Amino acid sequence: MTSPGSASAGNATVGLPKTLEWVGGDDGFLRLLDQTRLPRDVVFLDCRSAEQVHAAIQRLSVRGAPAIGLAGAFGVCLGAREWLERDRRDVERFLKGVDEVSDYVGGARPTAVNLVWAVRQVREAAYARRDAGVEAAWKAMLETSRRLLAEDVEICRQIGLHGADLIRDGMGVLTHCNAGALATAAHGTALSVMYAAHAAGRRFHVYADETRPLLQGARLTAFELTASGIPTTVLCDNMAGWLMSQGRVQLVIVGADRIAANGDTANKIGTYGLAVLAKHHGIPFYVAAPRSTFDRSLSDGRGIPIEQRGAHEVRGVGGSEVVAAGAEVYNPAFDVTPASLISGIITERGRVEPVTGGGIAQIFA
Amino acid sequence: MTSPGSASAGNATVGLPKTLEWVGGDDGFLRLLDQTRLPRDVVFLDCRSAEQVHAAIQRLSVRGAPAIGLAGAFGVCLGAREWLERDRRDVERFLKGVDEVSDYVGGARPTAVNLVWAVRQVREAAYARRDAGVEAAWKAMLETSRRLLAEDVEICRQIGLHGADLIRDGMGVLTHCNAGALATAAHGTALSVMYAAHAAGRRFHVYADETRPLLQGARLTAFELTASGIPTTVLCDNMAGWLMSQGRVQLVIVGADRIAANGDTANKIGTYGLAVLAKHHGIPFYVAAPRSTFDRSLSDGRGIPIEQRGAHEVRGVGGSEVVAAGAEVYNPAFDVTPASLISGIITERGRVEPVTGGGIAQIFA
């Protein structure tokens, strides 16, 4: 169903619908797989405005740091197109519109730095072409977004290749939330490592934390991995420690939403606890992420903003209210794992191992 | 609604319906609060046969080690009453029936040793009165069950008093699952400590892990504590580590399903991981349990049978299937926390602190 001019990515390699794609040419739209409906329903959201993309990011129809970044990039293009259509001659006014829509889309969620990063690439593309006029500036934005999408596919593939040797025959590999093809243009980050090891013929078993409150592990990771033929067991988050103590986990790999200059890593809530448990059991704990997930403006994890989400995500399970009305709810969407608990970070440029500020600086050299 | 002859317990002290009560005299029945329906519906199950009690225990309508024990005791009385009605003269045949129904009810769930313990008390009461005939033996069984119920109320109250000084003003106290009034005849074990501290005027905040898969923390603990006016915040299980790292938890108290002679403690799945996290953060970790939860026939926790429950508990959330069909599910109902991770055990005879085999032997002296 992809038109000739569409930019999209290779989830077909793992038997999955596309996470996101730009359908059509300059008058096209962003098609997102609505991940809130998985695994039951495969439904797409066609976004034709920045507001629709903003809402889709906020309600987690698209989620995962790299995928949020890409959706945000196309979202800015959609918002800027409205400015283009209003006035095709006043470049300064157009750029002011681009600034506005960039701030709006870039602020949809606070923790994943990829969103800010991708939006900045697109905005800068417009500024770089300001002398060529409004239409050229806008085309440069769309071109940049398409390029980021294509690059993400290759970056994720490289992450997989750089991590694959960590997985050996017979291992139990634990992961949390979904850092898979559904969190990126294709392949994923943590799961790309598993796909690469699987493609290399290694036999291993994946344990997927269900990941309350929104169950991305149960709904998305199990869906992806089983679709790819990788044996997968889902467990409740509170079972991970016991599973480790039983000798069934030899490796933990998770994704990331923002990594500070020293390697402190924000990722889905629960990651920090897993890292402590892994350390207690002597199990290697790896983070897989592209360079766009690093925020080297922060010296350590203390500066990473942690999104607090609505109580309804915890209170309501499958549509019915389970928490007594008088009780409060704690619902941070992310936590920060200190670099000292991370064995290594797997990037498209190789592994940072051990995790040090110097090692991280090198992958940007 | 309690008839004059009924044995029941004082949940009214904490504004709650009774967990379980024997309604009526010798021809009475066991009334259980159906905890699968809480907090939305307050519904009672009236059990008139051992089979009904067995089913109620298996489906967790009644849960919590002490409450399971009490339900089991009355369940054996109900089963034995059928043997009594069949033949009121043949004591040997009656005792054979008691043995049969004891094995049946005692095997409803494997981990909580209180069930085996309470059933044994009731069976032994019958044997002790064998010379007085079938009816006297059966009356002794019912009398013993009523006595166990009344004693449980007082035991739980004593546990609370022996632990209350652990809670000081301004503390954050974390608990897991439900070790409250709903898990016992009244007051609870871990929560009895909180009720006692609250009654002593201490101001503190309770954090209740929601406790997947069956959400006893969200559904039951939050319900109990807020009904008692104790400020409570519910969190997903995977948030406990981050909460600790934020300095918001000064004490962890949980219940127990079986404690070995050396202090290794089986409790709701997730307890072990919490204990590791508490140790990492230097937070005291206490277990609260009556002496009937100790199984001194086991030298350590390796011999404790861990119940594996059905995959449907994890797969289905609020009635809808969330786990991809091809994925397996891991669902142990309990884990074992080694004594080395436990700061102390709070019993009706005082605290075992530090946790050693010798200290445990002393509370049985």
Side-chain angles (χ1 to χ4, degrees), chain A:
Chain A
M1 288 270 305
T2 308
S3 74
S6 76
S8 64
N11 275 5
T13 57
V14 290
L16 285 176
K18 291 190 180 82
T19 306
L20 76 174
E21 64 175 324
W22 180 263
V23 178
D26 291 354
D27 57 348
F29 57 89
L30 177 65
R31 175 166 286 167
L32 297 173
L33 177 61
D34 186 352
Q35 301 193 32
T36 65
R37 306 280 296 274
L38 290 174
R40 182 188 286 267
D41 306 312
V42 176
V43 176
F44 296 92
L45 292 174
D46 291 345
C47 300
R48 292 182 166 82
S49 71
E51 288 73 16
Q52 288 175 313
V53 175
H54 186 275
I57 292 172
Q58 285 204 322
R59 91 167 86 83
L60 276 53
S61 292
V62 59
R63 28 66 50 203
I68 289 174
L70 297 171
F74 287 110
V76 173
C77 295
L78 289 167
R81 190 168 66 190
E82 291 181 26
W83 289 96
L84 165 90
E85 282 161 3
R86 245 177 268 175
D87 184 340
R88 290 173 185 263
R89 279 173 300 188
D90 187 342
V91 167
E92 293 312 311
R93 185 164 174 191
F94 175 74
L95 291 175
K96 228 178 132 185
V98 169
D99 287 347
E100 209 171 271
V101 71
S102 295
D103 289 347
Y104 169 67
V105 173
R109 293 186 71 195
T111 302
V113 77
N114 309 60
L115 176 57
V116 178
W117 174 86
V119 163
R120 190 171 57 233
Q121 306 293 309
V122 174
R123 177 195 240 156
E124 285 174 1
Y127 273 83
R129 292 285 284 164
R130 67 196 298 171
D131 293 344
V134 172
E135 285 192 37
W138 187 80
K139 278 177 190 291
M141 293 171 69
L142 183 61
E143 197 43 52
T144 298
S145 301
R146 289 167 181 256
R147 178 174 53 76
L148 292 178
L149 178 60
E151 285 176 359
D152 191 60
V153 178
E154 180 56 20
I155 286 168
C156 287
R157 208 178 65 81
Q158 288 294 330
I159 289 172
L161 295 175
H162 284 298
D165 66 292
L166 293 169
I167 300 178
R168 291 184 293 277
D169 277 335
M171 272 190 168
V173 183
L174 179 69
T175 190
H176 189 66
C177 196
N178 174 265
L182 295 166
T184 62
H187 310 304
T189 53
L191 299 201
S192 182
V193 175
M194 301 178 196
Y195 293 132
H198 183 66
R202 245 145 289 160
R203 301 168 80 91
F204 55 97
H205 196 99
V206 177
Y207 292 97
D209 279 354
E210 64 173 10
T211 319
R212 278 281 289 156
L214 296 180
L215 302 167
Q216 293 93 335
R219 294 191 300 108
L220 309 179
T221 296
F223 175 65
E224 271 199 53
L225 292 174
T226 54
S228 311
I230 299 178
T232 305
T233 294
V234 173
L235 58 152
C236 298
D237 301 304
N238 63 25
M239 298 168 183
W242 183 241
L243 188 77
M244 289 180 185
S245 80
Q246 303 301 293
R248 291 169 70 173
V249 179
Q250 282 71 44
L251 177 67
V252 182
I253 315 181
V254 299
D257 289 84
R258 190 184 299 217
I259 304 175
N262 72 337
D264 289 354
T265 296
N267 190 45
K268 177 56 56 191
I269 186 73
T271 302
Y272 167 71
L274 269 193
V276 171
L277 289 165
K279 187 190 174 81
H280 182 81
H281 294 91
I283 298 168
F285 183 92
Y286 282 85
V287 169
R291 294 189 304 157
S292 54
T293 297
F294 287 79
D295 179 355
R296 293 194 297 151
S297 75
L298 299 176
S299 58
D300 61 43
R302 284 172 300 184
I304 300 176
I306 300 295
E307 177 183 8
Q308 302 287 330
R309 292 185 61 88
H312 66 280
E313 292 182 351
V314 177
R315 283 191 184 283
V317 174
S320 71
E321 191 92 346
V322 294
V323 175
E328 294 169 36
V329 162
Y330 180 61
N331 189 21
F334 304 94
D335 58 27
V336 178
T337 301
S340 58
L341 294 175
I342 302 170
S343 308
I345 304 177
I346 310 162
T347 79
E348 70 272 31
R349 287 278 179 95
R351 297 212 289 266
V352 179
E353 189 178 7
V355 180
T356 62
I360 288 169
Q362 265 185 330
I363 61 161
F364 286 92

Side-chain angles (χ1 to χ4, degrees), chain B:
Chain B
M1 290 272 306
T2 308
S3 75
S6 76
S8 63
N11 276 4
T13 57
V14 289
L16 286 177
K18 291 190 180 85
T19 307
L20 75 175
E21 64 176 324
W22 180 262
V23 178
D26 291 354
D27 58 349
F29 57 90
L30 177 64
R31 174 166 286 170
L32 297 174
L33 177 60
D34 185 353
Q35 301 193 31
T36 65
R37 305 282 296 273
L38 290 175
R40 182 188 286 267
D41 306 312
V42 176
V43 177
F44 296 91
L45 290 174
D46 291 345
C47 299
R48 292 182 165 82
S49 72
E51 288 73 17
Q52 288 175 311
V53 174
H54 187 273
I57 292 172
Q58 285 204 322
R59 88 167 88 84
L60 275 53
S61 293
V62 60
R63 26 69 49 202
I68 289 175
L70 297 171
F74 288 111
V76 173
C77 294
L78 288 167
R81 190 168 64 192
E82 291 181 27
W83 288 96
L84 165 89
E85 282 163 3
R86 246 176 267 178
D87 185 340
R88 290 173 185 265
R89 279 174 298 190
D90 186 343
V91 166
E92 293 313 312
R93 182 164 177 189
F94 175 74
L95 290 175
K96 229 179 134 187
V98 169
D99 288 347
E100 208 171 274
V101 72
S102 295
D103 289 345
Y104 169 67
V105 173
R109 293 186 71 195
T111 304
V113 76
N114 309 62
L115 176 58
V116 178
W117 174 85
V119 163
R120 189 171 58 233
Q121 307 294 309
V122 174
R123 175 195 242 157
E124 285 174 1
Y127 274 83
R129 293 284 284 163
R130 67 195 298 169
D131 292 344
V134 172
E135 284 193 37
W138 187 80
K139 279 178 191 287
M141 293 171 71
L142 183 61
E143 197 44 54
T144 298
S145 302
R146 290 167 181 258
R147 178 174 55 74
L148 292 178
L149 178 61
E151 285 175 358
D152 190 61
V153 178
E154 180 56 18
I155 286 168
C156 287
R157 208 177 67 81
Q158 289 295 329
I159 289 173
L161 295 174
H162 284 298
D165 67 293
L166 293 170
I167 299 179
R168 292 185 293 278
D169 277 334
M171 271 189 170
V173 183
L174 179 69
T175 189
H176 190 67
C177 196
N178 174 266
L182 295 166
T184 61
H187 311 304
T189 53
L191 298 200
S192 183
V193 175
M194 302 179 196
Y195 293 132
H198 183 65
R202 245 145 289 160
R203 302 167 79 90
F204 55 97
H205 196 98
V206 178
Y207 292 96
D209 278 353
E210 64 174 9
T211 319
R212 281 280 288 153
L214 297 179
L215 301 166
Q216 293 94 335
R219 293 191 300 107
L220 309 179
T221 296
F223 174 67
E224 272 200 53
L225 291 174
T226 56
S228 311
I230 299 178
T232 306
T233 294
V234 172
L235 59 151
C236 298
D237 301 304
N238 63 24
M239 298 169 183
W242 183 240
L243 189 78
M244 290 180 184
S245 79
Q246 303 298 294
R248 291 168 72 172
V249 179
Q250 283 70 46
L251 179 66
V252 181
I253 315 180
V254 299
D257 289 84
R258 190 184 300 216
I259 304 175
N262 72 338
D264 290 353
T265 295
N267 190 45
K268 176 56 56 193
I269 186 73
T271 302
Y272 167 70
L274 268 192
V276 171
L277 288 166
K279 186 191 176 80
H280 182 82
H281 294 91
I283 299 167
F285 182 94
Y286 282 84
V287 169
R291 294 188 304 158
S292 54
T293 298
F294 287 78
D295 179 355
R296 295 194 296 151
S297 76
L298 299 177
S299 58
D300 61 43
R302 283 172 299 184
I304 300 176
I306 300 295
E307 178 183 8
Q308 301 288 328
R309 292 186 61 87
H312 65 279
E313 292 182 349
V314 176
R315 284 190 183 282
V317 173
S320 71
E321 189 92 346
V322 295
V323 175
E328 294 168 35
V329 161
Y330 180 61
N331 189 20
F334 304 94
D335 57 28
V336 179
T337 300
S340 59
L341 293 175
I342 302 170
S343 308
I345 303 176
I346 310 161
T347 79
E348 70 273 31
R349 287 278 178 95
R351 297 211 289 265
V352 180
E353 188 180 7
V355 180
T356 62
I360 289 168
Q362 266 186 329
I363 60 162
F364 287 92

